[in-house]
Amino acid sequence: MQKQDFYQSLVKQTESLIAGEPNVIANMANISALLFTSLEDINWAGFYLLDSPEELVLGPFQGNPACIRIPVGKGVCGTAAQTQETQLVEDVHVFAGHIACDAASNSEIVVPIFKDGHVFAVLDIDSPSIGRFDTDDQAGLEALVKCFEANLK
């Protein structure tokens, strides 16, 4: 199966999981589980929610215990929240200001999630392999996030 088809399937599964469910935490929990069990070669999938203009707080996830709070502008997640752009990081060890919540993580992709035109949270996925994520993963995960955003009230 090609990556585009794979991600289209994940988006459809996401739509089915969250359709009609208004609880954001429940939806994030299901999406984390879906991604963790569906994506190959990852060791963490989950969300950080904007807790204040200066800080993200850990949300639902699958994987090893993680950093609870991340300052906006720090690390890959904080940079995605600050820049409002997806961060596709081939090697986290060369990313300025990387926060090592899990020493096993070597690459990472973080997609900002918007509600009412503002960053609401970020989707964070880590891999133990350098270069695990590419622009196909980015496009697929951004499509999944759009599906999730459409359900935010």
Side-chain angles (χ1 to χ4, degrees), residues 4-119:
Q4 285 182 323
D5 296 333
F6 171 75
Y7 278 109
Q8 285 177 350
S9 174
L10 276 184
V11 169
K12 286 182 184 191
Q13 290 178 66
T14 298
E15 288 171 346
S16 295
L17 283 172
I18 67 177
E21 177 52 61
N23 189 286
V24 172
I25 299 299
N27 288 337
M28 287 178 162
N30 261 339
I31 292 168
S32 297
L34 174 66
L35 292 170
F36 194 74
T37 58
S38 299
L39 294 173
E40 294 181 6
D41 195 26
I42 66 165
N43 59 320
W44 203 90
F47 296 88
Y48 280 90
L49 293 90
L50 198 63
D51 195 44
S52 73
E54 296 86 31
E55 195 169 54
L56 296 163
V57 66
L58 182 64
F61 71 94
Q62 298 280 311
N64 287 330
C67 299
I68 294 174
R69 296 194 175 269
I70 297 175
V72 170
K74 303 292 183 189
V76 183
C77 289
T79 299
Q82 183 179 52
T83 63
Q84 302 183 11
E85 295 177 351
T86 298
Q87 300 296 305
L88 177 61
V89 181
E90 184 174 304
D91 182 349
V92 296
H93 305 290
V94 297
F95 185 89
H98 173 250
I99 300 169
C101 295
D102 183 347
S105 295
N106 286 309
S107 63
E108 187 170 3
I109 186 166
V110 180
V111 182
I113 299 166
F114 296 90
K115 180 179 178 183
D116 300 326
H118 302 284
V119 173

